[in-house]
C-alpha cells in the first residue's frame, strides 16, 4: 500500500508544487485548502488529487477532517504544514486581528494538524512531518512582527516535536523558504519587492518547485536520520 500524504494549503503555490512531487513519487496525496474553491476545483481536475476544505486554525475541524481522510484513504504517514497567511503591517499600525489571525493560522495550524496525526504516527512507529517556516522567521522582516514570530515559533515547535518523535521513527523538520513566485509574494508592493530581490545573492525569486524539492527530500522513507533540522532555501538571502 502506498503511503498517504496530507499537504495543507496544497492547491496553489508551494503547496501545489509539493503535491505534484509527492504524486510523481507514487504517494497517495490529499490537499487541504480554505476559501479558494475555484482554484481547488481546477487543481483537483488537473491533477486528480483529492482536495478537502477546512481552516487549519480550527482545532475541531482538523480533528474531524483528518479522521475522515484516514477512514477514506488510510493512515496519514506524511504531513506537510504549508498553509499560511500574511497580514503585513508595522507594529505601530497592527491590529489585534492582524496579529491573532497570523499566529492562529501559521503557528496554531501547525499545532492543530500535528496534534491530529501524532497519536497514529506514534502507534504505527512511523511519521514524516515537514513544517513550512520562512526566511523571515529566521531573519525578521520589516512589517512582519506577526509573521516572523509565527514562523520562528514553527522552528521551535519543530525542534521540540522532533525530540518527542525520535524514538518512534517520526521525523519532524522545517523548511524555511525565501521569497518565492507565489500569490503571497506577488502581493508585496512592487517597489518593496524590487529592493528585497536586489538583496538576494542568487538574484531572483525561487520557483515553488525549488522549495518542493527540499521538502520531498525530508519526506522520503530513507530520511530517517534527519530530524529537528531547518533547511533554508533562500537563494543566499540569509545565512543562518
Ligand atoms: N527596512 C527599513 N525601512 C523600511 C523597509 C525596510 N525593509 N521597508 C519600508 N521601510 C521604510 C520606508 O522607506 C518608509 O520610510 P519613510 O517613512 O522614512 O518614508 C517607512 O518604512 C514606511 O514604509 P511604507 O511606506 O512601506 O509603510 P506602509 O505602512 O505603507 O507599509 C508594509 C508597510 C505593509 C510593511 C510594507 O512596507 C510592505 O508590504 N512590506 C513588505 C513586507 C514583506 O516583505 N512581506 C513579505 C510577504 S511574502 C512572505 O512573507 C513569504 C515569505 O515567507 C518570504
Amino acid at each position: 500500500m502506498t503511503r498517504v500524504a496530507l499537504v495543507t494549503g496544497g492547491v496553489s503555490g508551494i503547496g501545489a508544487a509539493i503535491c505534484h512531487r509527492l504524486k510523481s513519487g507514487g504517494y497517495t496525496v490529499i490537499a487541504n485548502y480554505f476559501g479558494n474553491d475555484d482554484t481547488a476545483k481546477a487543481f483537483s481536475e488537473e491533477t486528480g488529487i483529492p482536495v478537502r476544505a477546512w481552516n487549519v486554525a480550527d482545532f475541531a475541524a482538523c480533528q474531524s477532517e483528518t479522521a475522515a481522510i484516514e477512514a477514506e484513504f488510510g493512515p496519514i504517514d506524511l504531513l506537510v504544514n504549508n498553509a499560511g497567511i500574511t497580514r503585513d503591517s508595522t507594529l505601530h499600525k497592527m491590529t489585534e486581528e492582524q496579529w491573532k489571525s497570523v499566529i492562529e493560522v501559521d503557528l496554531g495550524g501547525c499545532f492543530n494538524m500535528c496534534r491530529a496525526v501524532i497519536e497514529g504516527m506514534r502507534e504505527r512507529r512511523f511519521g514524516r512531518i515537514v513544517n513550512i517556516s520562512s526566511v523571515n522567521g529566521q531573519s525578521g522582516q520589516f512589517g512582519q512582527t506577526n509573521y516572523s514570530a509565527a514562523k520562528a515559533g514553527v522552528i521551535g515547535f519543530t525542534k521540540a516535536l522532533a525530540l518527542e518523535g525520535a524514538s518512534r521513527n517520526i521525523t519532524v523538520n522545517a523548511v524555511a523558504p525565501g521569497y518565492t513566485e507565489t500569490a503571497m509574494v506577488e502581493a508585496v508592493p512592487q517597489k518593496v519587492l524590487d529592493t528585497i530581490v536586489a538583496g538576494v545573492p542568487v538574484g531572483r525569486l525561487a520557483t515553488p518547485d525549488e522549495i518542493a524539492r527540499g521538502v520531498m527530500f525530508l519526506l522520503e522513507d530513507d530520511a530517517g536520520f534527519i530530524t529537528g533540522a531547518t533547511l533554508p532555501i533562500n537563494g543566499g538571502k540569509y545565512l543562518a
Side-chain angles (χ1 to χ4, degrees):
M1 211 174 80
T2 61
R3 292 200 186 281
V4 175
L6 174 61
V7 181
T8 69
V11 303
S12 62
I14 292 172
I18 296 167
C19 286
H20 283 295
R21 285 235 172 208
L22 281 163
K23 191 164 188 212
S24 306
Y27 294 88
T28 299
V29 193
I30 297 96
N32 148 273
Y33 74 99
F34 185 59
N36 40 357
D37 287 327
D38 292 344
T39 307
K41 191 164 174 275
F43 170 83
S44 191
E45 280 170 6
E46 182 205 322
T47 61
I49 292 172
V51 294
R52 297 290 182 273
W54 77 91
N55 182 355
V56 296
D58 180 340
F59 181 82
C62 290
Q63 293 279 326
S64 59
E65 295 293 336
T66 299
I69 287 170
E70 294 201 322
E72 189 174 348
F73 298 97
I76 296 165
D77 281 336
L78 289 75
L79 170 66
V80 181
N81 284 307
N82 168 74
I85 59 169
T86 52
R87 295 290 181 269
D88 293 351
S89 166
T90 46
L91 186 72
H92 59 276
K93 293 183 198 164
M94 189 176 286
T95 63
E96 187 183 13
E97 163 60 19
Q98 285 175 313
W99 170 260
K100 277 193 176 164
S101 58
V102 171
I103 298 295
E104 282 169 12
V105 174
D106 296 14
L107 181 56
C110 200
F111 163 75
N112 292 341
M113 286 308 303
C114 286
R115 185 67 188 84
V117 300
I118 199 71
E119 288 180 60
M121 287 181 175
R122 288 174 66 85
E123 276 160 28
R124 295 188 303 280
R125 295 187 168 260
F126 182 87
R128 295 280 179 268
I129 298 174
V130 173
N131 299 319
I132 304 301
S133 176
S134 164
V135 64
N136 293 344
Q138 298 181 297
S139 65
Q141 168 63 348
F142 186 101
Q144 286 201 308
T145 48
N146 48 4
Y147 187 82
S148 296
K151 293 298 188 177
V154 165
I155 293 174
F157 177 93
T158 297
K159 290 178 178 175
L161 189 58
L163 295 175
E164 294 180 12
S167 66
R168 302 276 196 299
N169 196 23
I170 301 166
T171 66
V172 190
N173 292 288
V175 167
Y179 284 73
T180 306
E181 289 166 2
T182 62
M184 186 183 270
V185 168
E186 272 167 26
V188 175
Q190 193 58 47
K191 261 180 75 178
V192 179
L193 191 57
D194 289 346
T195 316
I196 290 168
V197 174
V200 179
V202 170
R204 60 174 176 83
L205 300 176
T207 66
D209 189 57
E210 286 176 310
I211 310 302
R213 186 172 192 275
V215 174
M216 197 65 207
F217 171 71
L218 297 167
L219 288 174
E220 281 163 3
D221 272 36
D222 60 3
F225 210 64
I226 310 174
T227 197
T230 300
L231 177 65
I233 310 179
N234 63 30
K237 185 177 191 303
Y238 180 75
L239 307 179

